[in-house]
Amino acid sequence: MPRINSPAELEELRKDILSKRDPNRPCITLCSGTACHASGSEEVAASIEEEIKKQGLSAEVDFRKTGCHGFCEKGPIIVIHPEKICYLQIEPKDVPEIISQTIKEKKVIERLLYTDPTTNKKVVHEFEIPFYKNQERLVFGSNGKIDPKSIDDYLALGGYSALAKALSQMSPEQVLEEVKKSNLRGRGGGGFPVGRKWEECRNAPGEIKYVIVNADEGDPGAYMDRSLLEGNPHSVLEGLIIGAYAIGSHEGYIYVRQEYPLAVENVDIAIKQAEEYGLLGKNIFGSGFDFTVKVHRGAGAFVSGESSALMTALEGRVGEPRPKYIHTVIKGVWDKPSNLNNVETWATVPLIINKGADWFRGIGTEGSKGTKIFSLVGKVNNTGLVEVPMGMTLREIIFNIGGGIRDGKKFKAVQTGGPSGGVIPEKYIDLPIDFDELAKAGSMMGSGGMIVMDEDTCMVDTARYFLNFLAHESCGKCVPCREGIKQMLNILTDITEGRGEKKDIELLEEVAAMVKDFSLCALGTTAPNPVLSTLKYFQDEYVAHIEQKRCPAYVCKALVSYYIDPEKCQACMICLRQCPVGAISGGKNQIHIIDQAKCTKCNTCFEVCPPRFSAVRRLSGEPVPPPVKDRVLARRKG
Amino acid sequence: MSEITLQIDGREVKAEEGMTILEAAQSAGISIPTLCHHEKLEPYGACRICTVEIEAHGRTNLVAACLYPVEQNLVVRTRSEKVDKTRKVLLELMLAHAPDAAALQDLAQEYGADKARFGKESSFCILCGLCVRYCAEVKKKNAIGFVDRGTRREVIFIPEITSKECWDCKECFPLCPTEALQATFLLTKALMSPSPPSAPESEE
Ligand SMILES: Cc1cc2nc3c(=O)[nH]c(=O)nc-3n(C[C@H](O)[C@H](O)[C@H](O)COP(=O)(O)O)c2cc1C
Ligand code: SF4
Ligand code: SF4
Ligand code: SF4
Ligand code: SF4
Ligand code: FES
Ligand code: FES
């Protein structure tokens, strides 16, 4: 590969790449992200390659394996360009038809298209699918267009032009000013103003400074950082180099969790390619600016993503948070000024440099500019990664993009911000989502996790679930976090298992306040959020559990009983056959009865009893009526 | 080193740059409770009992006095309604581990902490890390260390090193604010001796 020595040479190379590409030539793109890989995209890729050859189309069709498109539950995903025909859940057996019909004959294959669950209509083009249509994919959008292992694909889309602009037309101070003016805030959790952090690091005394990418992504429900690194690693690198230039750093680290092998592979390749083109290394674009970057593979624990823990780990020590009364921008890795930003934050930087701070400020809300990628999961029809402008309402995200609640159930709450985030109840469905609004509502942006909950969710159990995660993921160093989480978890477990006492709510509040105020790092100071937010919005559920031993959502098994209504049972024996523990007695013409001592509360009978009978009932907070004596079914006419 | 003036509990206190709030307070005879602090060891910040209220740059904050560096015009309150209330709960959590520990009794009384508020925890250890850090930083032997994380974290003696180093040292023992170190050591000793005496299976 030739070295690129100037912005002009970059432009030439780009034109050269484009001249060899015909935009009207059919191109099959196949998602090869981690999720689609798991659902078989490797096999699909093999058959596409084979079939193109077999049908003699090698010279007429391009094939490209891309990164994650965000709609992973529908993977493997194929998009055929230039029309952008989108096929979902592709199997190898579908491939010959796709090549012969769609590529050769230009015919759309109905059965592979997306079906809108509300209208039952088929949707042909990717951009018309509601999941995509209502997004604004500024940062994430290129994922579906490029092969992450090809720097030329990135260059063809204008890649590294922001770096060229920064290095050739702007001073480091000007870059810094532009980012400050953009009001970009960190996407990794805290929402700290990026420009201010860069400035502090730039002004910190010392020759050696580090810039670091945080790709630990410890929140188990979020994977936007993985998808960006896997699918568009050069965008992160480009942002990092620009940041390094502004800060005056010549060494960078990318901290990736071990569990992300494809991200590590693609980043390694990207670094090598950038080095070969001279976009990393000495005298980048002939500007005199030098920068190198190394990948550090970290053991993925939730707390390793915390900035001081991450920096300790980079030094080769146990990744444990340490007090940060002296900021890491002044004394970070090896006590040198160190600037850490999240993957998505870095990937946003080239856009700001290319299009300007004013353009960026035109998107989003007063306090939060630009877009944010959310990981939309839970009880919504469409799950996946969604990128939307800050300020979009929960309703728009959940209903327009997410397609509403599954199985026609009722929306109850959404949990945002990862394990130490909070829940937001239905009455805030029109809340515009940004850093400040989420914090005001008692939750946070955090990693961008968004878990949608329906009416069948118990809020006390939800709090217990997250506290249990945090009990394992706290590093255990400081007393408030370690012991406080443990006690809150004990209390929540007691409440969900019917041992709750009246004093528990006050006790929870007291412990939560202590953990929030006294903990050493932000894992501890945010850990009470799941408890405090559910107490704030769903205190009635706590009271029901404690005072009536009743779980309103019928989730807490210790508080729920299953009962067959003798008036309704038709003795069809369906439940009897399916009960996994043989707790149901009955027979032909004999009213069925559940042996309460044997029942494990698995919910099966409730689900299988035919809706026209609806004989199985869930009881909570009330005694189970005694079994009927006369079990012979008096045949009701019907 | 330049001199810094700050205010602690309404009193003007002089300190040197680089000092912590705790050091400045101690030099002025103002006491702040500590449980994981030791002059010979690097500050650690784990017990949080030394948390105080500060006012700096127009904001009120809660910080660990054993770590926070003094600043010119810093205003420190070592006691306040909030600090006292929070220390009380914090002590109650530690008392669940070590209800009879001498180091906790006076504090419990001062802050009105109820030693039976939370159910008794199986281990006596409050993970203050004094033993671990003393052995690592002063003796440089690393005979004792932390294992696991979160609520499962505990302190263990490394048998191979313990058998060589600990018998004649035992310098960390008096540092332990609870009975935990003694108990863990006896347990390790019992497990290491060829025919274990009728020691309990575990400390729990
Ligand atoms: C327990 C904990 C876990 C964190 N995990 C991550 C993470 O996985 N990725 C990340 O970017 N930031 C994480 N953060 C936030 C980082 O500490 C830091 O604020 C962030 O990387 C700074 O980048 P930003 O300003 O671009 O957001 C975590 C914070 C805490 C307290
Ligand atoms: S707050 Fe929790 S995670 Fe952070 S240092 Fe303390 S124990 Fe570790
Ligand atoms: S809930 Fe499950 S275990 Fe209980 S009776 Fe119904 S099917 Fe059997
Ligand atoms: S499925 Fe319903 S109707 Fe049938 S036996 Fe069970 S309870 Fe009765
Ligand atoms: S054994 Fe004692 S000194 Fe060691 S960490 Fe536990 S409480 Fe502290
Ligand atoms: S991995 Fe294929 S859409 Fe996400
Ligand atoms: S003495 Fe300051 S945290 Fe323990």
Side-chain angles (χ1 to χ4, degrees):
Chain A
M1 265 191 246
R3 205 191 130 89
I4 307 167
N5 294 306
S6 65
E9 285 184 24
L10 176 74
E11 216 23 64
E12 253 170 61
L13 177 62
R14 184 187 338 280
K15 283 199 187 120
D16 187 50
I17 295 168
L18 287 174
S19 71
K20 291 180 192 141
R21 294 185 175 185
D22 173 2
N24 294 320
R25 187 178 145 107
C27 175
I28 306 173
T29 62
L30 167 73
C31 176
S32 303
T34 293
C36 285
H37 185 87
S39 48
S41 79
E42 203 59 31
E43 292 74 35
V44 176
S47 44
I48 293 177
E49 276 162 0
E50 190 191 310
E51 206 58 35
I52 290 179
K53 252 191 236 140
K54 218 155 102 191
Q55 302 199 22
L57 293 169
S58 299
E60 285 145 63
V61 190
D62 288 333
F63 171 49
R64 186 172 295 147
K65 288 193 264 182
T66 74
C68 175
H69 297 207
F71 206 11
C72 311
E73 62 159 325
K74 294 279 193 283
I77 297 176
I78 279 181
V79 179
I80 296 163
H81 299 262
E83 300 87 352
K84 296 212 167 79
I85 298 166
C86 180
Y87 291 148
L88 303 168
Q89 289 169 319
I90 299 305
E91 292 173 44
K93 68 170 172 47
D94 301 321
V95 171
E97 199 183 340
I98 294 175
I99 307 290
S100 62
Q101 293 298 304
T102 310
I103 299 293
K104 274 193 173 158
E105 310 277 333
K106 300 278 169 217
K107 279 191 205 138
V108 170
I109 306 163
E110 288 274 321
R111 86 186 138 81
L112 301 176
L113 294 173
Y114 175 78
T115 316
D116 191 321
T118 43
T119 59
N120 261 332
K121 281 214 179 92
K122 299 275 180 193
V123 183
V124 177
H125 303 109
E126 185 187 28
F127 51 86
E128 293 166 337
I129 298 175
F131 177 78
Y132 293 111
K133 193 171 73 184
N134 297 297
Q135 296 190 44
E136 191 165 337
R137 301 192 139 203
L138 302 177
V139 178
F140 199 48
S142 300
N143 262 43
K145 298 180 194 144
I146 60 178
D147 174 356
K149 293 183 168 64
S150 157
I151 190 171
D152 285 2
D153 278 9
Y154 185 65
L155 293 177
L157 291 183
Y160 287 106
S161 58
L163 179 66
K165 180 175 173 188
L167 293 189
S168 65
Q169 298 168 32
M170 298 166 87
S171 67
E173 291 83 357
Q174 282 172 319
V175 174
L176 184 64
E177 278 314 310
E178 201 64 24
V179 173
K180 266 172 75 181
K181 200 172 134 201
S182 76
N183 273 343
L184 172 65
R185 294 171 69 175
R187 267 53 174 150
F192 192 81
V194 174
R196 238 174 53 213
K197 194 191 262 186
W198 288 15
E199 187 169 45
E200 281 179 41
C201 194
R202 178 178 168 79
N203 293 340
E207 280 303 301
I208 298 174
K209 291 177 185 174
Y210 299 107
V211 287
I212 308 159
V213 180
N214 191 342
D216 179 68
E217 199 157 60
D219 169 1
Y223 58 107
M224 58 286 280
D225 294 346
R226 183 189 78 200
S227 293
L228 268 177
L229 264 193
E230 270 176 21
N232 196 353
H234 286 288
S235 67
V236 182
L237 269 186
E238 187 179 1
L240 183 68
I241 309 169
I242 294 170
Y245 175 68
I247 289 166
S249 158
H250 304 285
E251 273 175 77
Y253 285 98
I254 303 179
Y255 184 102
V256 199
R257 61 165 44 217
Q258 194 90 39
E259 293 84 346
Y260 284 180
L262 184 58
V264 173
E265 182 186 331
N266 287 359
V267 166
D268 278 339
I269 294 172
I271 291 175
K272 200 168 283 155
Q273 292 173 338
E275 280 168 351
E276 282 170 15
Y277 271 144
L279 303 168
L280 279 171
K282 292 243 174 280
N283 195 15
I284 300 169
F285 286 133
S287 67
F289 176 67
D290 309 333
F291 184 69
T292 56
V293 60
K294 289 198 191 85
V295 175
H296 182 102
R297 302 171 71 159
F302 182 54
V303 74
S304 338
E306 192 277 333
S307 60
S308 67
L310 184 145
M311 291 190 193
T312 320
L314 275 182
E315 295 172 358
R317 297 189 283 147
V318 180
E320 204 167 79
R322 43 182 184 179
K324 289 186 287 191
Y325 296 133
I326 298 175
H327 295 295
T328 47
V329 280
I330 295 171
K331 260 176 117 172
V333 187
W334 292 294
D335 284 344
K336 305 278 187 263
S338 305
N339 182 96
L340 176 72
N341 281 117
N342 167 260
V343 170
E344 193 183 333
T345 312
W346 288 118
T348 308
V349 170
L351 295 171
I352 294 172
I353 297 302
N354 259 336
K355 302 191 180 180
D358 289 331
W359 164 82
F360 190 73
R361 285 157 60 102
I363 307 159
T365 61
E366 185 60 33
S368 311
K369 300 299 182 191
T371 56
K372 174 79 190 90
I373 307 176
F374 291 96
S375 166
L376 184 65
V377 297
K379 301 290 172 62
V380 271
N381 280 313
N382 307 325
T383 63
L385 294 178
V386 305
E387 182 179 351
V388 297
M390 297 275 191
M392 186 177 257
T393 65
L394 278 173
R395 186 193 298 279
E396 290 170 289
I397 298 176
I398 294 168
F399 289 90
N400 298 356
I401 297 174
I405 309 302
R406 278 202 183 155
D407 304 324
K409 298 261 182 179
K410 216 169 133 322
F411 170 68
K412 181 167 184 176
V414 57
Q415 202 273 354
T416 74
S420 52
V423 297
I424 297 173
E426 205 220 334
K427 68 172 173 186
Y428 288 125
I429 185 98
D430 289 309
L431 189 81
I433 296 303
D434 71 6
F435 287 108
D436 309 314
E437 293 294 332
L438 283 173
K440 258 195 266 165
S443 186
M444 56 187 203
M445 182 74 80
S447 50
M450 203 176 257
I451 306 172
V452 178
M453 297 167 173
D454 66 7
E455 54 195 305
D456 294 336
T457 315
C458 167
M459 288 299 152
V460 188
D461 186 61
T462 299
R464 189 200 56 77
Y465 173 85
F466 288 112
L467 267 284
N468 186 47
F469 176 86
L470 294 165
H472 286 88
E473 294 297 319
S474 146
C475 82
K477 176 174 174 176
C478 73
V479 178
C481 171
R482 183 188 68 241
E483 302 299 327
I485 289 177
K486 189 200 288 172
Q487 293 300 347
M488 287 191 284
L489 177 60
N490 284 347
I491 298 168
L492 292 168
T493 308
D494 281 350
I495 297 176
T496 55
E497 291 179 357
R499 296 184 300 272
E501 293 175 43
K502 273 204 172 130
K503 64 173 174 52
D504 283 349
I505 292 182
E506 205 187 303
L507 192 56
L508 274 176
E509 281 169 341
E510 240 180 89
V511 177
M514 191 276 300
V515 177
K516 189 172 161 196
D517 286 338
F518 271 33
S519 289
L520 190 156
C521 83
L523 187 147
T525 57
T526 56
N529 280 338
V531 181
L532 291 173
S533 62
T534 47
L535 271 175
K536 181 171 170 186
Y537 297 120
F538 298 97
Q539 191 152 141
D540 53 329
E541 289 193 25
Y542 281 81
V543 173
H545 281 74
I546 293 170
E547 293 183 7
Q548 302 155 18
K549 306 296 169 205
R550 180 169 67 88
C551 175
Y554 303 101
V555 169
C556 299
K557 285 188 179 179
L559 305 182
V560 176
S561 311
Y562 288 78
Y563 169 68
I564 297 174
D565 187 340
E567 298 292 318
K568 291 187 175 168
C569 177
Q570 295 297 322
C572 69
M573 292 173 73
I574 293 176
C575 62
L576 181 147
R577 288 200 196 94
Q578 299 216 26
C579 173
V581 293
I584 302 177
S585 67
K588 255 198 168 151
N589 288 325
Q590 208 182 18
I591 290 170
H592 289 40
I593 292 174
I594 296 175
D595 180 344
Q596 297 297 326
K598 276 193 191 163
C599 171
T600 57
K601 304 170 185 184
C602 70
N603 207 46
T604 304
C605 55
F606 183 76
E607 278 169 10
V608 299
C609 181
R612 61 184 191 282
F613 305 151
S614 295
V616 179
R617 278 171 51 197
R618 295 182 300 193
L619 306 176
S620 188
E622 55 179 307
V624 180
V628 282
K629 297 224 168 58
D630 180 10
R631 293 180 65 176
V632 180
L633 182 74
R635 272 285 163 209
R636 290 169 270 245
K637 287 213 165 163
Chain B
M1 285 240 173
S2 59
E3 202 179 60
I4 281 174
T5 313
L6 67 158
Q7 204 198 74
I8 307 182
D9 293 343
R11 273 174 55 192
E12 198 152 283
V13 172
K14 297 220 180 304
E16 268 164 31
E17 199 183 317
M19 270 184 159
T20 61
I21 292 177
L22 178 65
E23 287 164 337
Q26 281 171 343
S27 73
I30 298 169
S31 91
I32 295 174
T34 64
L35 286 166
C36 69
H37 178 76
H38 191 282
E39 287 80 28
K40 287 191 186 159
L41 305 177
E42 286 290 310
Y44 187 56
C47 75
R48 317 304 289 173
I49 197 76
C50 68
T51 304
V52 294
E53 217 170 85
I54 60 161
E55 255 173 57
H57 320 292
R59 278 192 311 187
T60 311
N61 236 330
L62 292 164
V63 301
C66 69
L67 286 156
Y68 197 90
V70 290
E71 294 166 38
Q72 184 65 28
N73 299 332
L74 187 70
V75 176
V76 179
R77 281 182 291 273
T78 68
R79 305 281 297 252
S80 72
E81 200 185 318
K82 184 164 204 177
V83 167
D84 283 13
K85 215 176 120 189
T86 318
R87 279 190 193 150
K88 168 182 177 283
V89 185
L90 182 60
L91 282 165
E92 287 168 341
L93 292 173
M94 294 195 256
L95 286 162
H97 285 275
D100 302 317
L104 298 178
Q105 300 311 309
D106 289 350
L107 286 170
Q109 192 150 35
E110 179 152 9
Y111 292 92
D114 171 2
K115 57 166 92 169
R117 185 138 187 231
F118 300 100
K120 173 75 184 83
E121 292 285 335
S122 50
S123 153
F124 289 102
C125 179
I126 56 166
L127 298 168
C128 70
L130 282 170
C131 55
V132 174
R133 290 179 291 138
Y134 188 87
C135 190
E137 291 174 32
V138 178
K139 302 301 287 184
K140 308 221 179 316
K141 301 292 184 210
N142 297 307
I144 182 164
F146 293 117
V147 287
D148 226 327
R149 67 165 182 251
T151 52
R152 295 179 317 269
R153 185 158 154 132
E154 55 180 349
V155 155
I156 57 152
F157 283 94
I158 321 283
E160 304 79 64
I161 310 177
T162 300
S163 61
K164 277 204 255 58
E165 307 292 343
C166 298
W167 316 103
D168 300 325
C169 170
K170 297 190 178 157
E171 281 170 37
C172 61
F173 281 51
L175 304 183
C176 179
T178 71
E179 304 86 348
L181 191 55
Q182 195 75 33
T184 313
F185 184 72
L186 289 177
L187 174 73
T188 314
K189 198 167 134 185
L191 293 175
M192 275 161 51
S193 55
S195 56
S198 56
E201 283 272 285
S202 90
E203 158 211 337
E204 305 185 352

